[in-house]
Structure formats: C-alpha cells, structure tokens
Amino acid sequence: MRIHVVSDVHGRADALARAADGADALICLGDLILFIDYDDHAQGIFAELFGQDNADRLIELRTGRRFAEARDFSRALWESLGGDAWPHIERAVREQYKRLFEAMPEPAYLTYGNVDVPGLWAEHLRPGHHVLDGQVAEIGGLRFGFVGGGLRTEYRTPYELDDDAYAAKVEALGAVDVLCTHIPPDVPDLLYDTVARRFERGSRALLDFIERTQPRYALFGHVHQPLARRRRIGRTECVNVGHFRARGMPFALSV
C-alpha cells in the first residue's frame, strides 16, 4: 500500500488536489490555512485585508521578536475594521477551507495544525475524510497514531495547547507503528528553521514517547526550512514531510 503524506499546505489547493496521485490514501498533518506568508508577504489573509506594507511591518516585528509591538500594531489594524477581528478572520478562513476541502482527495486521514481552526472543519468534510487527534487508525495493516495542534508560543496561533494537554493526547495513543503529528519531537536539529533563524517549539512528550515505544516512523511538519529533515532516534525514522506550500510534493510511504 502506498500512502502520501503532506503537512503545512497553507492554501495550496492546486497542489493538494494532486497530492494523492498514485497513492491509495493521503495523510495531511495540518496547517491548511494561510494567514500570513513569511516568504511572499503579499499572500495570506492578513495581506488581503491590510495590504502588503502592513504585512511587511508585522513580519518585521515578529521576526525581530518584538511580540508586544506586533500585537499592538495588529490590534490597531483590526480596530480600524470595527474592533473585533474574529468575524473578518472567520469569513476568510471559511473561504479557504471551502477551497481546500473541495480539493482534498479521498480517502484522507487528517489532523490539525497550530494555525487551523478545528471548529470550522466539520462543515467541509466529505465521507472519505477522517479527522483524528489523540486517536489511532489502522491503515494498510499498521497502526497510525495522530496528534494535532502545537504548543503555546508568543505567536498565539489558534490551536495551541498547554504542554500537559498535548502530552495527554500523545499518551492516549498507546504503541503505534507510525506516529503522525503536526509539530516535531523536541530535537534541536529538527526544530531550527534556517530561513527564519529561530527554533520552533517541539514536544518533549513526543520525544519521550518515541524513545520509549520506538515506532517505525515519526512524521511531522511545522518547521518549514529545518536544519535537518530526517533524524533517527533508535529504530524510529523521524521525517519532516513539509513544507507543502513551497514544495508541492508529498512524502511517499510504502506499507
């Protein structure tokens, strides 16, 4: 059985529609939405609402780790639209999800990324779309465990969890053959983004789980330009399967 795996789609409905070509199933590890694009500042929900110049400024503040200034800057822009950001974000997110889930192949096994809004998925799912979070599915005779979302950061993205809540989802899986998560385990080489020049947050609970249970694979995304795309931990092959927005090519797994 051939399975294609993607993560960090960030609006690429065109590539997503082809992602399962030649495969029996697709796995998607989240971050479907494109809110702000650090490579092309003219793309994404923020730039559509406020223009590229304002996106340039917000990215400058964030990459400079001036998070309080970034929040104040962003808040002032939202207030210019009437004060409450969520109705504008929700409308744009729903439009993106509509396009993306129409393009999503079937069958597909999905979990959430940290920039996803889980409550808005259900209305777009088709019968062949299976959403799992802290849950296990049997695919091709193997146990695949799925854990969605990310950990708390200064970026305050929509689906960030406390460390304890995230760890509880990991432990709920039990032993699996393939571990599928949005964020990586807490291994520095897998967390450092060479373009953004910063460490993203990885999970110690995932690392402990891998060291203890030794699945065949640990698949994840989240870090778009990692220092290392692969790392072996014992018998477990850890593989970054993103950044699908930039690469447009899935990771192929034969089981």
Side-chain angles (χ1 to χ4, degrees), residues 127-149:
H129 296 159
H130 311 282
V131 180
L132 302 110
D133 189 12
Q135 297 163 292
V136 174
E138 184 174 309
I139 310 171
L142 298 181
R143 281 173 57 87
F144 284 70
F146 294 81
V147 179

Side-chain angles (χ1 to χ4, degrees), residues 168-244:
K169 292 197 297 181
V170 175
E171 289 305 311
L173 299 178
V176 297
D177 298 296
V178 183
L179 177 62
C180 298
T181 63
H182 178 67
I183 63 173
D186 189 10
V187 177
D189 285 359
L190 300 175
L191 298 177
Y192 187 73
D193 190 307
T194 60
V195 173
R197 297 184 180 180
R198 66 169 182 256
F199 287 96
E200 302 290 353
R201 281 209 69 191
S203 169
R204 180 70 206 186
L206 283 177
L207 179 58
D208 291 345
F209 181 84
I210 292 167
E211 291 176 336
R212 186 173 73 252
T213 67
Q214 294 284 277
R216 296 186 190 182
Y217 288 94
L219 308 178
F220 50 85
H222 187 57
V223 183
H224 293 174
Q225 297 92 11
L227 184 62
R229 293 196 176 275
R230 305 176 80 109
R231 177 72 69 233
R232 183 168 288 278
I233 300 174
R235 69 183 291 270
T236 302
E237 186 72 16
C238 300
V239 184
N240 184 316
V241 299
H243 167 31
F244 189 69

Side-chain angles (χ1 to χ4, degrees):
M1 185 173 186
R2 183 180 174 94
I3 300 167
H4 286 179
V5 191
V6 303
S7 185
D8 298 82
V9 175
H10 292 304
R12 281 294 305 274
D14 59 330
L16 185 61
R18 304 186 299 270
D21 289 355
D24 299 291
L26 178 73
I27 289 175
C28 180
L29 303 183
D31 271 13
L32 299 180
I33 290 301
L34 181 64
F35 181 74
I36 194 163
D37 192 332
Y38 283 76
D39 293 319
D40 182 352
H41 301 180
Q43 301 296 314
I45 292 171
F46 191 88
E48 290 171 5
L49 289 171
F50 301 117
Q52 182 176 343
D53 288 346
N54 285 317
D56 290 343
R57 179 58 176 162
L58 181 64
I59 290 169
E60 178 187 11
L61 292 172
R62 283 184 170 186
T63 54
R65 305 192 65 80
R66 296 156 62 185
F67 295 112
E69 290 180 65
R71 285 192 289 272
D72 289 343
F73 177 72
S74 181
R75 187 181 302 113
L77 291 173
W78 292 116
E79 288 175 353
S80 73
L81 297 180
D84 187 356
W86 177 242
H88 304 283
I89 295 173
E90 181 179 10
R91 182 168 56 253
V93 168
R94 285 183 188 275
E95 290 174 358
Q96 285 197 18
Y97 278 153
K98 182 178 186 298
R99 294 194 299 272
L100 289 158
F101 280 102
E102 285 176 352
M104 185 78 69
E106 298 178 74
Y109 298 84
L110 317 171
T111 199
Y112 310 112
N114 62 294
V115 302
D116 285 313
V117 184
L120 298 183
W121 277 30
E123 65 196 78
H124 301 289
L125 297 173
R126 299 199 303 275
H129 296 159
H130 311 282
V131 180
L132 302 110
D133 189 12
Q135 297 163 292
V136 174
E138 184 174 309
I139 310 171
L142 298 181
R143 281 173 57 87
F144 284 70
F146 294 81
V147 179
L151 299 175
R152 302 284 181 197
T153 70
E154 292 281 2
Y155 298 100
R156 301 183 182 182
T157 51
Y159 194 40
E160 294 183 351
L161 303 166
D162 292 334
D163 287 50
D164 289 348
Y166 190 90
K169 292 197 297 181
V170 175
E171 289 305 311
L173 299 178
V176 297
D177 298 296
V178 183
L179 177 62
C180 298
T181 63
H182 178 67
I183 63 173
D186 189 10
V187 177
D189 285 359
L190 300 175
L191 298 177
Y192 187 73
D193 190 307
T194 60
V195 173
R197 297 184 180 180
R198 66 169 182 256
F199 287 96
E200 302 290 353
R201 281 209 69 191
S203 169
R204 180 70 206 186
L206 283 177
L207 179 58
D208 291 345
F209 181 84
I210 292 167
E211 291 176 336
R212 186 173 73 252
T213 67
Q214 294 284 277
R216 296 186 190 182
Y217 288 94
L219 308 178
F220 50 85
H222 187 57
V223 183
H224 293 174
Q225 297 92 11
L227 184 62
R229 293 196 176 275
R230 305 176 80 109
R231 177 72 69 233
R232 183 168 288 278
I233 300 174
R235 69 183 291 270
T236 302
E237 186 72 16
C238 300
V239 184
N240 184 316
V241 299
H243 167 31
F244 189 69
R245 176 171 175 79
R247 302 175 71 192
M249 294 293 294
F251 174 76
L253 181 67
S254 295
V255 300

